[in-house]
Structure formats: structure tokens, C-alpha cells
Amino acid sequence: MGSGTLLMFVPYGWFVVYWRTHREEVPLRSVAARSCLVCMALALGVSMQVFGSAVADAPTNLCAYQPDAASCEAFPALPDAQCRLLEACAAACGGERPCPCDGGLLPNYRCRWSNATSDTITAILAPESFRREKRLGPRCVKAECPLYKYARGVALEFGVLLLILCYVATYALHDVARLLGRPPKQPPPPPPLDASLLRVHGEAAGAAGGPDR
């Protein structure tokens, strides 16, 4: 993302400077078109950071350790004793940091008991030790998670990359080619001589070339 940002903002910054010094050659609509793409990329980038940081993932798969269908479907319901422990841990923090409860995340998914799986034949043929190790056959699996929240940040990131690619393909390459193809600066012409100085110089030359007396 950092290199893509440079590919957009460096040519854009140079073009704005070029437009300010060559307004008679570069129309205002050229700056407006480039500015629209840059502003959209900035808006999507900020949105990606905001929505991406709002997602707190819980990578542990606690569903796989549910022993039966009843506990699987009830997850994340907890017995009263465990609920009281969680409440006591949260109350002990009191908004202070560090907190002893910061070491983990509450699960943000639900579980479902699966009877018909794609590996049913393997589960039938495999020995019991293999089934226990690979958790084959009927088992508890993850069923629901905040997929929309996860997909939103990913979609915004792809949007930023697409806008950067569009800017590079449409404007940045043209601007860089113009920058590299500029003719070298010519030295300024000498200032014109004053007419009175030319007349004095001519009279002096005439007097120097007159006949000897």
C-alpha cells in the first residue's frame, strides 16, 4: 500500500506544481480530474482504516471441542459459575490498564452440529485413533461469524488499490513522461543595449578613425 501511495501522490504533487507555473498551458479541468481520483482514494483509505480497526477477530475454534450437539448448538452459552467469573474479571478492571482480562477475546461466532460431512466415508473407514485426531464424522463446526464486518475492510482495500491503478494507468504515466521529456532550459537572452550607448560608441569610433592633422 505504501508504494502504491507514492505512485499516486508523487506524480499528483508534481502536476499541481506544474499547473501553478504553467496555467496558460494546462487547463483547470486536468487538475480537477486528478484531484477527484486522489480524494476518492483518500476517502476509501480512511474508511478502510476505520472499519478495519473495528474488527476484533477471535481465531480460536472453540466449536471443535464441544462434545455433543446440545452444547454445540448452545455455544457460547455458559454455566452460571463461568458467567460469574467473567463478570468478576470485568469488574476488577474498572477501566484501568493493564487489565487481567485483556489476554483474550470473547468469541464472535456461533457453532452448529454437523452430521453429514464430506468426509463421512473417510470417517467410516478410518480407525478410531485417526478419527479422534482429525475430528472426522459428526462434529461441531463454526457456523456464523461477522462476515460482513470482515468483508467490508477487504472490499475497501481493493477499492483503494483499484483507484491507484486507474490513476497510474491514466494520468501518472503521462505526467511522468511529460516530466522526463521536457526540453532543457535555455539561458536567458542578453539584455538589449541602450540606444544612447550605441550612439556614443559610434561617435567615439568615428573620431578615432578621422584624418591626422
Side-chain angles (χ1 to χ4, degrees), residues 17-68:
V17 173
Y18 183 80
W19 170 76
R20 290 184 61 183
T21 56
H22 299 76
R23 295 189 180 184
E24 68 282 354
E25 301 177 9
V26 183
L28 181 60
R29 61 177 179 270
S30 299
V31 182
R34 289 165 171 80
S35 299
C36 286
L37 275 178
V38 171
C39 290
M40 285 190 292
L42 283 175
L44 289 183
V46 172
S47 302
M48 178 189 68
Q49 295 296 329
V50 171
F51 290 115
S53 60
V55 176
D57 193 14
T60 55
N61 184 11
L62 300 179
C63 297
Y65 298 94
Q66 303 301 320
D68 50 38

Side-chain angles (χ1 to χ4, degrees), residues 11-201:
Y12 175 73
W14 172 83
F15 185 81
V16 171
V17 173
Y18 183 80
W19 170 76
R20 290 184 61 183
T21 56
H22 299 76
R23 295 189 180 184
E24 68 282 354
E25 301 177 9
V26 183
L28 181 60
R29 61 177 179 270
S30 299
V31 182
R34 289 165 171 80
S35 299
C36 286
L37 275 178
V38 171
C39 290
M40 285 190 292
L42 283 175
L44 289 183
V46 172
S47 302
M48 178 189 68
Q49 295 296 329
V50 171
F51 290 115
S53 60
V55 176
D57 193 14
T60 55
N61 184 11
L62 300 179
C63 297
Y65 298 94
Q66 303 301 320
D68 50 38
S71 61
C72 178
E73 297 293 342
F75 183 84
L78 296 174
D80 293 340
Q82 290 178 301
C83 286
R84 286 193 294 269
L85 286 176
L86 286 177
E87 291 177 356
C89 184
C93 294
E96 298 178 359
R97 292 293 182 268
C99 176
C101 295
D102 286 345
L105 295 172
L106 292 175
N108 56 357
Y109 53 86
R110 297 185 61 86
C111 302
R112 177 175 55 84
W113 187 259
S114 177
N115 287 313
T117 61
S118 59
D119 51 20
T120 301
I121 297 179
T122 304
I124 294 174
L125 297 176
E128 180 64 25
S129 59
F130 183 83
R131 291 199 298 269
R132 286 197 304 268
E133 179 183 356
K134 301 299 182 181
R135 300 185 181 276
L136 301 180
R139 61 187 182 272
C140 188
V141 296
K142 281 185 176 181
E144 299 177 7
C145 65
L147 183 61
Y148 175 72
K149 291 183 179 179
Y150 296 158
R152 187 166 48 185
V154 176
L156 289 171
E157 183 176 0
F158 274 101
V160 173
L161 294 176
L162 181 61
L163 285 176
I164 292 176
L165 178 62
C166 291
Y167 187 88
V168 171
T170 53
Y171 295 120
L173 293 178
H174 173 73
D175 295 340
V176 171
R178 178 188 295 179
L179 174 63
L180 297 178
R182 288 188 302 177
K185 291 185 177 181
Q186 300 294 332
L193 296 177
D194 193 358
S196 59
L197 293 178
L198 291 176
R199 185 171 55 256
V200 171
H201 180 72

